[in-house]
Amino acid sequence: MRLFGHRLSIAAGIAVAMALAAAFTAPPDALQGNLQRLMYVHVPAAWIAFLAFGVTLIGSGLWLWRRDSRHDRLAAASAEVGVFFTGLTLALGSVWGKPVWGVWWTWDPRLVTTAIMFFVYLGYLALRRATVEPVARARRSAVFGIVAFVQVPIVHLSVLWWRTLHQPPTVLRPGHPTIDHAMLAALLLNLLAFTVLFVLLVRARMRLAAAEQEHELRDGERELAGAAVSAPRLKGAQQ
């Protein structure tokens, strides 16, 4: 497992380096110039957010089916990564929107639905932190993680359902992608790099969660052992 993790880290580093090189060597946009290069991070960040919350959905469903703590850890780890990349998506969108739209924020359907998704999954993480008992935490989080996923298609389809400042899909659309081939290649390479990075981050967070869970179990065993030892002393003191 350590060898796999080491190789995965190397693969992620190489993929990110190649993706950044592709992003900086791709041709500039005809209208936005080099500002458009934010797309090579902004779009993959949004993709990873969708992917992460999809994994949370799967992990939650698997926990309800199998009651395996590994699935709960998968759902939680993926949600944490997803929240981070959703926040990154919003931040980069603001940086990109300021010179293009003239404002850092506007009540655009895509922005609003993405912000709602961000806070919904923050609520998921808050629920996990607020619930101490492991089984109850996993059960409540699993239900929340399944219901919350409805935000993902809403965000993705918001540019089609409502009038928005965002452009319609240029890659995931019927027919051929409406984007320059060199730009598309750079974008796909960045999507691949971010996906490898996602796997690396989720794996690392799951290992940390397993260690935290083991620590909780040991603390519980110590408390039970301490209660068993102290109980006779209390009884003797009363006599």
Side-chain angles (χ1 to χ4, degrees):
M1 293 297 291
R2 289 184 178 179
L3 180 60
F4 173 76
H6 181 65
R7 290 177 176 175
L8 184 61
S9 299
I10 294 175
I14 294 174
V16 169
M18 293 177 61
L20 290 175
F24 281 107
T25 56
D29 184 72
L31 297 177
Q32 299 182 24
N34 288 322
L35 180 65
Q36 178 267 345
R37 297 187 192 280
L38 284 171
M39 175 188 72
Y40 300 116
V41 180
H42 178 67
V43 173
W47 151 248
I48 293 302
F50 289 169
L51 174 63
F53 298 145
V55 173
T56 297
L57 169 70
I58 294 171
S60 299
L62 287 174
W63 187 90
L64 290 174
W65 180 30
R66 296 289 185 87
R67 294 296 196 273
D68 190 329
S69 61
R70 291 176 299 177
H71 298 143
D72 178 56
R73 291 197 296 269
L74 173 63
S78 190
E80 289 186 8
V81 176
V83 166
F84 170 79
F85 278 100
T86 304
L88 180 62
T89 300
L90 289 169
L92 291 175
S94 294
V95 173
W96 196 352
K98 176 60 176 175
V100 175
W101 299 336
V103 292
W104 294 102
W105 173 266
T106 182
W107 295 100
D108 175 82
R110 171 59 67 84
L111 270 66
V112 172
T113 53
T114 303
I116 292 173
M117 183 175 71
F118 177 70
F119 286 109
V120 165
Y121 279 94
L122 275 181
Y124 171 90
L125 298 180
L127 174 64
R128 294 191 63 88
R129 184 170 291 274
T131 309
V132 178
E133 203 281 317
V135 175
R137 178 173 61 217
R139 181 176 61 253
R140 295 171 186 174
S141 300
V143 174
F144 196 127
I146 292 172
V147 175
F149 185 77
V150 71
Q151 294 294 324
V152 172
I154 291 176
V155 173
H156 179 66
L157 296 173
S158 60
V159 294
L160 301 177
W161 289 350
W162 298 290
R163 296 182 61 182
T164 173
L165 295 174
H166 274 78
Q167 66 183 38
T170 56
V171 178
L172 296 178
R173 62 185 300 275
H176 298 288
T178 58
I179 185 175
D180 178 80
H181 293 300
M183 292 181 178
L184 178 60
L187 178 59
L188 292 178
L189 185 56
N190 275 269
L191 287 171
L192 176 61
F194 271 64
T195 303
V196 176
L197 182 61
F198 163 75
V199 175
L200 179 66
L201 292 174
V202 170
R203 182 178 182 274
R205 188 61 186 91
M206 285 185 67
R207 293 183 65 183
L208 179 60
E212 291 173 348
Q213 189 175 45
E214 184 178 353
H215 182 70
E216 288 179 357
L217 290 174
R218 289 179 179 176
D219 286 346
E221 291 174 355
R222 291 194 189 100
E223 290 178 1
L224 290 175
V229 171
S230 61
R233 294 179 180 176
L234 292 174
K235 184 177 180 180
Q238 291 175 353
Q239 291 176 350

